[in-house]
Amino acid sequence: MRAAGRTVRTEVWGRLAAADPGLLRFTAGLRTVVSIGLTLAVLTVLRADVSHLVAGAITAMVATFAIREKQRPQQAGTLALGLPVALASVSLGALLDQRVVLGDLFFVALIFCAVYGRRFGDRGTALGLIGFQIYFVSLFVHATVAALPGLYLAITVAFGCAAVARFLLVRQTPTGILDRLRRAFRARFAQLVSAQVELLDAGPDELDKAVEEVRVRTARLHETALLIQGRLADGTSDEGVARLVQRRIADAEIAAERLGLLLLTARSARRADTLTLHLPGAALPAAAREPVRDESMERLRLDLEALRVLVLRPAGPESGTALAQLRNRLLGYREEDALPPASPAVQDVFRGIGETARAVLGLRIAMDGPQDESDDTPATSRSREELDAEDAAIEGAEESEPEPEEATGLRRPTTRAAVQVAVGSALAIVGGEFLSAQRWYWAVLTCWIVFINTASTGEILVKGYRRLLGTVLGVVAGIVLAGLVGHHTWTAFALVLLFVFAMFYSAPLSYTLMSFFVTAMLGLLYTLLNTYSLDVLVLRVEETALGAVCGVIAAAVVLPVHTGRRTDELLATTLDRLADVTRAAADQLGGAPPVDLVEKARELDQALADLRAATEPLTHPIAPLRSRRDTARYVVALLETCAYHARSLAATAELLPTHPAIAADPRLRGAGRRIVHNIEAIAAQVAGRQPVPHIETGSSIAAMLEPGTLRAPRYGRVTDRVLRHLQRLDEAVVGLARPLKVPVARRTP
């Protein structure tokens, strides 16, 4: 019974960890709810009236979510500085309440300063957010000078409760976050392996769905890897350990994605295209429609299930020898004589399982420390020796990161955004006053919000559309809830807490859903303040639409950054990063001195993530130009394909000093030159640099290399893999030329 209970708990934890990596959303929602609940409890004991309860609740929410630093001392410092900022903001709001013109001018200046403060990092962003939101609170509760003592008390209590919630009740440390992210990586890794089993078994009618599930879970695994990379510096005290974990995460991700491609190839008459796992709806080979049913495929299925167990099962005394035997069997597939009789494509899958098991072993050692070696087979011992040698090489490597060139003046993003938001807010104030002299600030709030975390006109338009849609749906919910709750104060506050949690939990997933919960919550707050009516909620929709329109107008007219320009800049950056990784990997495979390839690959991944986010306005369903939408999706999918092959080349190149099956080959450096030239030619076209070189095509990468002298089977496999990645990368880069309109010149060998 106890074992069954542990299994259920492990399964539930695995699902939760995979759905919310690091429990970041859950913790954010829980901490905010605890902060608000504690504030309401303290203010109730102090016999505060409803308006002060509302002000305290909103302040507690702001004081909780505004703090973004990762280290606790910095968080405490920002929270301490935020209190006087909040008190000053509410005081000015009360003093300027009856001075309409002066109050509006101050509000615009405050908005400019709040946005401009982002250039000073997380603390500047937090203090600007606190100043703006608390001024909004003063407008929301109609603060007056006479009410200031009560508001001071409510705000002070809210900040104190936010500190108690953050540092005592819902504690979160960088080390703890990183540990939970590691568990989430394992959980998503196991989910990907489960999807690969389903791909193996899928019938003709299920294949498209199975491939899509593998694609989605591969993307989620990559997302978790990026989250871990972003937290390593703060979550580990030793830089060498951080680099080791980063390398092992990259190895596991590459091995898992490669295993999916090998499985799809095993079901097809020809080698699967990497683009299949990156482009939704990509065509599949006709021969892949029917699953193969034979003894080797049945064994393959069992080994994939065993790999899933190996990924999920924690190492330790409770695991016993069964897990060690399972691990030894899978690692044995790295040896030629241990492969079962099967077709070459299926044997490649068994090799892929062996390499993935090795990546899992490296992941365990990096995350959990030394493992029990008493049950090791010779194949497992060799894998450990390889990992130990790689660890030593990683610890001795030096990391160098160039300083990015910072823009100045109005070219600086924070300055430009501050000017745009100030202009948009001024328009929103004027328009909002025409709609309502009492609640014009809703238009300003929407204008402010649509500029947060956006960088182009298209992003602002999409965000404004989502906020308006969520607001309309929230108004409907607010009408229903106001009728049900009436004036039951504590029932309304309980629902407010529920909506606050849902708001923070859903925020990274859906901005529309978050806006829905915000508007429904505001309907309840209006009910508590005895200002609820259908006209008020309809006005809320009108003010939201006005604020979104003002934001779009300001973004389009004042120092505009058009979506095309933004995506071109990020595309050029991504191509530059891709060229850096490819050049460095090919040079190192050709015998050049080693460089920090893992860090270069991480920079490529981050640039690609930024590009993917920036193209969302082009790929959104409301985008009017269908051909442009399809082109954007295709280009991003091709770049994801390129990034996978570049990461794989980088990972292989880093094994050169330690891996017995890999030797430098000077010809590989020359083979990579054509790819790098083509990437740079495309980057020149995108960036508008002149003259634009032609894309060079010709014989395949494999044909460019004369037969080598390394005849051993292990050398042959690794060389074949390197050439395959180079060939696929070459094809994907040439494929980018057509949608990006780069001239192609055929070069004969």
Side-chain angles (χ1 to χ4, degrees):
M1 291 294 292
R2 290 182 180 177
R6 282 197 302 270
T7 301
V8 172
R9 286 196 299 272
T10 301
E11 184 69 20
V12 171
W13 168 256
R15 290 181 179 275
L16 182 60
D20 180 15
L23 298 183
L24 297 177
R25 304 198 315 272
F26 178 84
T27 304
L30 180 62
R31 183 191 291 127
T32 308
V33 166
V34 170
S35 177
I36 295 173
L38 193 59
T39 300
L40 293 174
V42 174
L43 291 176
T44 301
V45 172
L46 296 176
R47 300 182 182 278
D49 60 28
V50 173
S51 64
H52 291 155
L53 289 176
V54 171
I58 298 177
T59 301
M61 180 176 69
V62 174
T64 303
F65 77 75
I67 311 300
R68 296 297 180 89
E69 286 104 337
K70 296 183 177 66
Q71 299 294 341
R72 292 163 67 83
Q74 285 79 7
Q75 294 174 2
T78 302
L79 198 59
L81 291 172
L83 179 57
V85 170
L87 295 176
S89 186
V90 74
S91 300
L92 289 168
L95 290 170
L96 298 174
D97 181 54
Q98 300 302 319
R99 298 172 175 82
V100 178
V101 176
L102 187 60
D104 290 349
L105 291 175
F106 173 77
F107 200 13
V108 172
L110 175 63
I111 289 170
F112 176 87
C113 294
V115 177
Y116 185 78
R118 296 179 194 175
R119 66 169 296 197
F120 301 108
D122 289 336
R123 177 162 293 175
T125 301
L127 295 179
L129 189 58
I130 289 171
F132 171 83
Q133 293 287 1
I134 300 304
Y135 192 88
F136 171 82
V137 168
S138 73
L139 298 173
F140 185 72
V141 300
H142 302 290
T144 61
V145 175
L148 280 178
L151 289 173
Y152 288 161
L153 176 63
I155 290 172
T156 303
V157 168
F159 269 81
C161 292
V164 171
R166 176 177 295 275
F167 299 118
L168 294 178
L169 300 180
V170 189
R171 301 182 62 186
Q172 194 176 41
T173 63
T175 303
I177 293 174
L178 183 59
D179 182 61
R180 288 194 292 270
L181 283 173
R182 291 168 176 173
R183 296 186 208 176
F185 186 84
R186 285 175 173 166
R188 287 193 165 181
F189 197 161
Q191 287 185 344
L192 175 55
V193 176
S194 297
Q196 290 170 347
V197 174
E198 295 173 4
L199 173 62
L200 190 67
D201 293 335
D205 298 333
E206 304 166 338
L207 185 58
D208 289 327
K209 181 180 179 182
V211 172
E212 176 65 14
E213 190 66 20
V214 170
R215 186 190 69 80
V216 169
R217 293 190 179 183
T218 301
R220 287 177 179 172
L221 185 69
H222 183 61
E223 172 196 3
T224 311
L226 289 178
L227 284 173
I228 292 175
Q229 290 173 355
R231 297 275 180 172
L232 277 172
D234 296 292
T236 53
S237 57
D238 188 330
E239 184 179 347
V241 173
R243 287 174 52 77
L244 177 60
V245 172
Q246 182 179 355
R247 170 59 189 274
R248 294 302 170 220
I249 289 288
D251 286 347
E253 183 189 356
I254 291 169
E257 186 167 356
R258 180 171 177 268
L259 183 58
L261 291 169
L262 292 173
L263 278 167
L264 195 55
T265 298
R267 290 199 48 162
S268 309
R270 58 183 176 85
R271 190 171 299 280
D273 191 341
T274 318
L275 186 63
T276 304
L277 294 186
H278 296 126
L279 182 63
L284 298 172
R289 292 286 167 187
E290 294 294 337
V292 179
R293 309 288 185 186
D294 58 24
E295 184 178 345
S296 64
M297 296 299 278
E298 185 62 32
R299 181 171 178 176
L300 193 58
R301 185 178 300 103
L302 294 175
D303 284 334
L304 285 171
E305 293 287 359
L307 179 62
R308 179 180 178 275
V309 172
L310 186 65
V311 170
L312 276 181
R313 185 80 58 87
E318 296 182 358
S319 300
T321 58
L323 188 65
Q325 292 173 355
L326 183 151
R327 176 200 64 208
N328 293 339
R329 187 178 87 244
L330 298 185
L331 286 172
Y333 291 142
R334 301 185 69 225
E335 307 291 333
E336 289 295 320
D337 54 4
L339 293 173
S343 66
V346 174
Q347 284 192 332
D348 276 345
V349 182
F350 281 108
R351 292 188 185 103
I353 290 176
E355 293 297 334
T356 308
R358 178 188 182 275
V360 173
L361 177 62
L363 203 59
R364 284 186 180 278
I365 295 173
M367 292 183 174
D368 303 327
Q371 311 287 303
D372 182 13
E373 303 180 17
S374 58
D375 295 318
D376 282 2
T377 61
T380 303
S381 296
R382 280 192 290 274
S383 294
R384 288 190 190 276
E385 291 169 1
E386 293 172 6
L387 291 168
D388 289 341
E390 291 171 21
D391 294 350
I394 292 171
E395 290 173 1
E398 295 183 1
E399 182 177 350
S400 60
E401 190 172 335
E403 291 292 331
E405 182 180 351
E406 186 177 358
T408 58
L410 292 177
R411 292 174 54 243
R412 182 183 286 118
T414 50
T415 306
R416 182 176 59 243
V419 173
Q420 289 176 325
V421 177
V423 173
S425 298
L427 294 174
I429 289 173
V430 174
E433 291 277 6
F434 281 107
L435 288 177
S436 171
Q438 299 296 319
R439 296 184 176 87
W440 52 268
Y441 46 78
W442 288 121
V444 181
L445 181 66
T446 299
C447 182
W448 157 279
I449 288 177
V450 297
F451 273 95
I452 294 177
N453 296 326
T454 56
S456 70
T457 307
E459 292 177 64
I460 292 170
L461 179 61
V462 170
K463 194 170 184 179
Y465 155 78
R466 288 172 173 168
R467 184 166 183 84
L468 181 59
L469 177 60
T471 300
V472 171
L473 297 176
V475 163
V476 176
I479 293 171
V480 175
L481 289 171
L484 294 175
V485 173
H487 296 288
H488 299 285
T489 302
W490 293 111
T491 302
F493 271 123
L495 286 173
V496 166
L497 292 178
L498 177 63
F499 288 154
V500 167
F501 178 83
M503 177 176 66
F504 282 93
Y505 192 81
S506 63
L509 302 177
S510 170
Y511 187 71
T512 300
L513 198 58
M514 188 201 75
S515 300
F516 165 80
F517 288 120
V518 169
T519 305
M521 176 190 69
L522 289 172
L524 292 170
L525 293 179
Y526 278 135
T527 302
L528 291 171
L529 293 172
N530 296 317
T531 56
Y532 167 79
S533 69
L534 179 59
D535 292 338
V536 168
L537 292 182
V538 172
L539 178 64
R540 161 85 170 138
V541 174
E542 294 173 345
E543 296 280 3
T544 299
L546 174 64
V549 170
C550 291
V552 172
I553 291 174
V557 175
V558 181
L559 304 174
V561 177
H562 299 298
T563 304
R565 173 186 159 193
R566 169 73 174 167
T567 54
D568 284 349
E569 289 175 352
L570 292 176
L571 176 56
T573 300
T574 303
L575 289 167
D576 289 339
R577 298 288 181 271
L578 178 62
D580 290 343
V581 176
T582 305
R583 181 188 299 105
D587 287 350
Q588 195 159 318
L589 286 166
V595 296
D596 190 358
L597 287 170
V598 173
E599 182 61 26
K600 288 183 179 295
R602 180 178 179 274
E603 291 172 357
L604 169 61
D605 288 338
Q606 188 57 58
L608 186 53
D610 293 341
L611 175 64
R612 192 183 302 111
T615 57
E616 190 173 346
L618 302 178
T619 59
H620 195 274
I622 68 171
L625 301 177
R626 183 173 180 178
S627 60
R628 192 181 183 191
R629 181 171 69 232
D630 293 342
T631 299
R633 287 175 178 167
Y634 181 68
V635 167
V636 171
L638 273 177
L639 284 169
E640 288 175 342
T641 299
C642 293
Y644 162 71
H645 291 296
R647 284 196 304 269
S648 300
L649 286 171
T652 305
E654 287 221 329
L655 298 177
L656 273 175
T658 59
H659 203 292
I662 304 175
D665 188 337
R667 297 168 299 171
L668 292 173
R669 188 186 302 185
R673 284 176 186 156
R674 185 174 80 188
I675 301 176
V676 173
H677 166 83
N678 289 344
I679 297 172
E680 291 176 340
I682 297 173
Q685 169 75 3
V686 171
R689 297 192 289 264
Q690 296 294 334
V692 177
H694 285 72
I695 294 292
E696 294 181 358
T697 62
S699 56
S700 69
I701 294 294
M704 291 172 63
L705 304 179
E706 298 177 359
T709 57
L710 303 176
R711 301 292 187 181
R714 291 174 63 83
Y715 278 112
R717 283 212 318 275
V718 174
T719 301
D720 177 66
R721 185 187 306 175
V722 169
L723 290 177
R724 190 181 305 161
H725 285 306
L726 284 170
Q727 180 65 33
R728 293 294 187 181
L729 180 57
D730 184 40
E731 294 169 354
V733 169
V734 173
L736 284 168
R738 180 179 57 80
L740 297 177
K741 297 179 174 59
V742 185
V744 178
R746 176 79 181 178
R747 190 182 72 174
T748 57

